[in-house]
Amino acid sequence: LLAEDLDADHTAQSLLSDEESAFQLGPQLNGPDRPLPAELFVELFEAHAQRRPEAIAATHNDTRWTYRDLDDKANHIAHALLDRGLRDEDVVAVVMERNLDWLAAALAVFKAGGVYLPVRPDFPPGRIATQLRRSDCRFAVTEPGSDAVLHAATADRDCSIVVAQETYGDDRRGNPGVPIRPEQPAYIYFTSGSTGEPKGAMCEHAGMLNHLFMKVDDMALGAGDVVTQTASQCFDISLWQLMAPLLVGGGTHIVDTDAQLDVTRFIDLLAAGGVQVIQIVPAYLDVMLSHLERDRRALGDLRSVSVTGEALKLGLVQRWFALYPGIALVNAYGATEVSDDTMHAVLDRVPDRDLAIVSVGRSLRNVNTYILDEQQRLVPLGAPGEIAFSGVCVGRGYVNDPERTRQAFTTDAYRPGTRLYRTGDFGRWLPEGTIEFLGRRDEQVKIRGFRIEIGEIENRLLQMPGVREAAVVIDGQSDQTKNLVAFFTGPDALQPADLRDFLAAALPEYMVPAYFHRLDALPLTENGKTNKKHLVGLAGTY
Ligand code: ADP
């Protein structure tokens, strides 16, 4: 069951006064309606590949692929998948490191009409197995070196595995020409789930393309422009970093994780020129700024820095423009469930409004934005409420997970027949038609941009034999220094190192707390709940 099957329990006009509808449905607040072109991503890319086959589509270290190279390799992989019986809407796991073959594999899945499911080869095999099982995945593309984890994860199921590089020698065949419908699912990204299991958000081709065009618009991407690909495969951000430049004849430059972790290398890369657009998380901008403030550098052809994933503090914006008044900052806000970003604040200077957290800006094309109360009614201008989106951006829901889909997805009461996603974020409208972000309703957090449900970590901790109670909090104020800290109760014999190993066997490394502390009992609030505020205070004292 997916969101589109759900019934709205109220109808459009019943909840709206004329004034509200004029306000909320006004063109200033919703994104402009812009029809999508008749062609979807694959056709638009293939048209570029035909027109300018020698243009550079993608680079990684010293390797450069032209549009022809990329198209050709993707065609080989796509045909290999089709030869193995892939049909429309079959899910294909792509278990690869971030490299050019990964890009070819992702493109191949779209070309073959499959649903792209990116999987990080360094994830624990059990987690990979859960993702494949949950999404009924029977096809995978991998590469030598990443294949072992895939074999382990598919040991007990039927999965047809294609090694990308092995297909390149096959007889050359052209575009597979599989017709794709706008409402066809394009991809699934798994995010952490509070009930203990990751959930797979599924989005459609039309939503994906709509988002790619937003990036093209607001970063003014054009032929020859280069975007760096820095985000992890398991982030939807990685998708636009790869694909948006390919819509307009630009290129993507895949930056190895090592070269990012060493921020001076990343700065060198920008300073060397040839990169126009980057997207990073606030924690990374903070690290970059610390370096650049000590050693100010010219940043080559850099034109636009998009910051995303977490609240963008005014202090970072001030620091940026103090150094680089000519390079725009874009605060990009959205969620995996709505095909990535739905709002942008495009800044060319420090905003006039003195908010500690800068606004997330305006709704993007074809995006309807609401701020709702608990009964899903519109709140008055300026009042806090939950941010919700409807329109082509809203994905299908969580794959094979009707319960959690029902909790977050419903239909838009103001536009019958349109899916609506409630983000779990609080916000309020500012008079100029932008939104101030006010934090989360639940325990979803971000650590260095990675989306984490605290409940998933706590659930896992409670499965460790001996652990009686567990609670996880975030310690640290700055984006750079934030850490997860776990508290537990249980016998003395239970050692933090054992807990760490136990979690690391099931969770990605970014979900494993940095510290574990045993307590005799967890502190409680007056009404008997775990007192997390107290634990946050305690975390700071160790
Ligand atoms: P993305 O689509 O960017 O990958 P995720 O699905 O990982 O996003 O996380 C979505 C959540 O991240 C949002 O619901 C919000 O809580 C937070 N978030 C994302 N961007 C911003 C931003 N610019 N400012 C504040 N919070 C943000």
Side-chain angles (χ1 to χ4, degrees):
L1 179 85
L2 293 162
E4 63 198 332
D5 304 323
L6 300 172
D7 270 330
D9 33 19
H10 31 237
T11 54
Q13 296 311 320
S14 61
L15 301 176
L16 277 177
S17 69
D18 287 349
E19 200 182 323
E20 277 177 329
S21 92
F23 167 68
Q24 202 75 25
L25 303 176
Q28 183 196 16
L29 302 178
N30 291 307
D33 286 335
R34 294 244 188 100
L36 288 170
E39 301 86 13
L40 292 172
F41 176 76
V42 167
E43 286 171 280
L44 294 168
F45 166 77
E46 287 169 352
H48 276 290
Q50 272 179 2
R51 267 203 309 273
R52 295 181 55 224
E54 297 306 332
I56 298 299
T59 51
H60 177 220
N61 297 325
D62 296 329
T63 314
R64 296 149 71 90
W65 280 9
T66 62
Y67 274 71
R68 180 191 287 123
D69 296 332
L70 174 59
D71 196 35
D72 188 40
K73 294 200 158 79
N75 285 342
H76 277 107
I77 304 171
H79 280 294
L81 286 167
L82 292 166
D83 291 348
R84 282 172 171 74
L86 182 97
R87 285 166 321 194
D88 257 16
E89 308 201 9
D90 279 341
V91 176
V92 185
V94 173
V95 186
M96 297 172 79
E97 297 293 347
R98 294 189 304 107
N99 53 36
L100 294 171
D101 304 295
W102 162 56
L103 167 59
L107 186 57
V109 176
F110 295 151
K111 280 176 175 261
V115 183
Y116 169 57
L117 168 64
V119 172
R120 264 175 68 161
D122 62 332
F123 273 13
R127 193 174 185 84
I128 297 178
T130 306
Q131 297 185 358
L132 300 194
R133 181 171 30 79
R134 224 177 226 287
S135 44
D136 291 329
C137 174
R138 312 218 161 272
F139 295 87
V141 185
T142 189
E143 63 197 344
S146 295
D147 50 345
V149 65
L150 180 62
H151 287 291
T154 54
D156 62 345
R157 51 184 294 125
D158 174 24
C159 184
S160 188
I161 298 176
V162 170
V163 177
Q165 293 82 350
E166 288 174 4
T167 68
Y168 299 161
D170 296 349
D171 288 343
R172 184 148 189 264
R173 287 185 280 178
N175 295 328
V178 176
I180 296 166
R181 290 163 288 111
E183 66 283 4
Q184 194 165 318
Y187 59 78
I188 300 171
Y189 281 92
F190 274 88
T191 74
S192 173
S194 58
T195 55
E197 272 215 355
K199 49 190 184 188
M202 187 190 252
C203 295
E204 297 175 347
H205 274 276
M208 174 177 96
L209 187 63
N210 194 57
H211 176 252
L212 295 178
F213 277 126
M214 292 170 190
K215 295 297 178 196
V216 168
D217 287 352
D218 281 350
M219 318 282 162
L221 278 176
D225 282 347
V226 171
V227 178
T228 52
Q229 198 298 305
T230 46
S232 152
Q233 307 87 313
C234 67
F235 254 172
D236 56 354
I237 296 167
S238 60
L239 198 69
W240 87 258
Q241 292 179 333
L242 289 176
M243 306 288 179
L246 302 182
L247 269 183
V248 291
T252 181
H253 176 66
I254 300 174
V255 184
D256 280 338
T257 307
D258 292 351
Q260 280 174 62
L261 288 179
D262 179 354
V263 70
T264 52
R265 281 175 67 191
F266 189 66
I267 292 171
D268 287 344
L269 170 80
L270 301 178
V275 171
Q276 280 73 21
V277 172
I278 63 173
Q279 186 172 46
I280 53 180
V281 295
Y284 198 78
L285 179 62
D286 194 1
V287 183
M288 267 179 76
L289 276 166
S290 310
H291 277 75
L292 292 166
E293 281 159 350
R294 279 197 303 272
D295 176 15
R296 185 172 172 173
R297 309 269 303 273
L299 295 181
D301 302 310
L302 190 63
R303 193 177 64 212
S304 179
V305 175
S306 172
V307 191
T308 194
E310 288 184 71
L312 177 60
K313 299 196 182 94
L314 182 65
L316 282 180
V317 177
Q318 288 165 331
R319 287 167 62 198
W320 179 260
F321 286 119
L323 288 183
Y324 300 104
I327 304 178
L329 272 187
V330 179
N331 185 13
Y333 165 80
T336 308
E337 287 84 342
V338 287
S339 316
D340 202 351
D341 294 320
T342 41
M343 305 196 73
H344 279 167
V346 182
L347 307 173
D348 55 12
R349 62 196 160 90
V350 177
D352 297 333
R353 197 175 266 283
D354 189 20
L355 295 171
I357 290 183
V358 300
S359 102
V360 293
R362 289 174 196 283
S363 313
L364 298 175
R365 51 192 282 159
N366 304 323
V367 169
N368 312 312
T369 307
Y370 301 104
I371 297 196
L372 303 173
D373 69 10
E374 279 176 8
Q375 279 77 48
Q376 290 222 59
R377 290 173 311 211
L378 301 174
V379 301
L381 176 66
E386 184 174 5
I387 306 172
F389 294 108
S390 85
V392 66
C393 57
V394 180
R396 291 266 192 114
Y398 304 114
V399 64
N400 292 322
D401 196 343
E403 189 48 44
R404 287 192 289 185
T405 298
R406 203 175 292 120
Q407 284 161 16
F409 292 80
T410 128
T411 38
D412 181 340
Y414 311 103
R415 289 180 174 77
T418 315
R419 285 195 298 262
L420 177 132
Y421 172 69
R422 292 170 40 224
T423 58
D425 291 323
F426 285 121
R428 65 184 188 101
W429 287 115
L430 299 171
E432 54 268 35
T434 59
I435 284 182
E436 179 183 6
F437 174 80
L438 299 171
R440 291 286 309 168
R441 186 186 65 185
D442 50 23
E443 285 206 298
Q444 181 179 302
V445 298
K446 288 284 182 95
I447 294 268
R448 287 169 273 282
F450 287 100
R451 173 168 159 180
I452 298 166
E453 296 275 1
I454 294 278
E456 186 176 357
I457 311 173
E458 292 173 344
N459 261 297
R460 179 69 188 166
L461 271 174
L462 289 171
Q463 287 165 18
M464 170 95 186
V467 170
R468 281 199 301 271
E469 298 163 290
V472 174
V473 297
I474 287 208
D475 177 43
Q477 292 303 311
S478 87
D479 293 323
Q480 265 189 65
T481 57
K482 275 195 298 195
N483 275 315
L484 291 166
V485 181
F487 293 91
F488 64 97
T489 65
D492 288 351
L494 215 50
Q495 290 301 312
D498 302 331
L499 291 179
R500 179 171 295 117
D501 291 348
F502 184 75
L503 290 192
L507 301 178
E509 148 277 319
Y510 58 79
M511 289 179 73
V512 179
Y515 304 101
F516 294 79
H517 302 299
R518 190 206 339 270
L519 299 176
D520 292 335
L522 294 185
L524 298 180
T525 62
E526 269 172 25
N527 46 24
K529 288 189 183 165
T530 305
N531 189 339
K532 291 222 164 166
K533 254 196 193 137
H534 185 85
L535 289 177
V536 172
L538 208 56
T541 65
Y542 282 91

